[in-house]
Amino acid sequence: MTLRIQSLCIDSTDPKVPADFWEKALGWRRTYEADDEIVLEPPAGSPEEGVSPDLLFLKVPERKEVKNRLHLDLRPEDRDAEVARLEGLGAERVSVGQGPEVTWVVLADPDGNEFCVLRALQAD
């Protein structure tokens, strides 16, 4: 099979808002920008370049109203430190029905898109 995922598309009434957040959150580079779309890609020469899908932020007329059906799960080295850093960038903790016993933290970016910060991987 010759298919691969090229982009994860994220709708927004103002693509600059989520793109600015995710550019700082992931340390990715902006490779294209127009009024109606912005593309973020992994850093040039990084192990993710050419492997991870791009993030494509698209301008749409309607605002987000319900929980995302697709979201990012991020795996940090230190969950609590990353949550604090992301909150400093403008993310907010949100509830999507997760209970207090879960090992991840649910956040929303400044445009309201939910994502999870998972626990650190345990060494084998």
Side-chain angles (χ1 to χ4, degrees), residues 8-22 25 55-58 60 62-74 86 90-96 105-117:
L8 176 61
C9 301
I10 302 165
D11 292 348
S12 178
T13 56
D14 182 0
K16 187 171 176 6
V17 171
D20 286 350
F21 172 82
W22 286 105
L55 296 180
L56 173 57
F57 300 90
L58 298 167
V60 296
E62 67 277 353
R63 297 184 54 83
K64 179 183 177 300
E65 294 187 21
V66 298
K67 181 173 102 51
N68 292 5
R69 297 293 301 259
L70 177 70
H71 68 269
L72 299 176
D73 280 350
L74 306 176
L86 294 166
E92 294 184 5
R93 290 179 189 241
V94 296
S95 175
V96 293
V105 176
V106 182
L107 299 172
D109 70 16
D111 211 30
N113 299 298
E114 299 91 3
F115 62 96
C116 296
V117 181

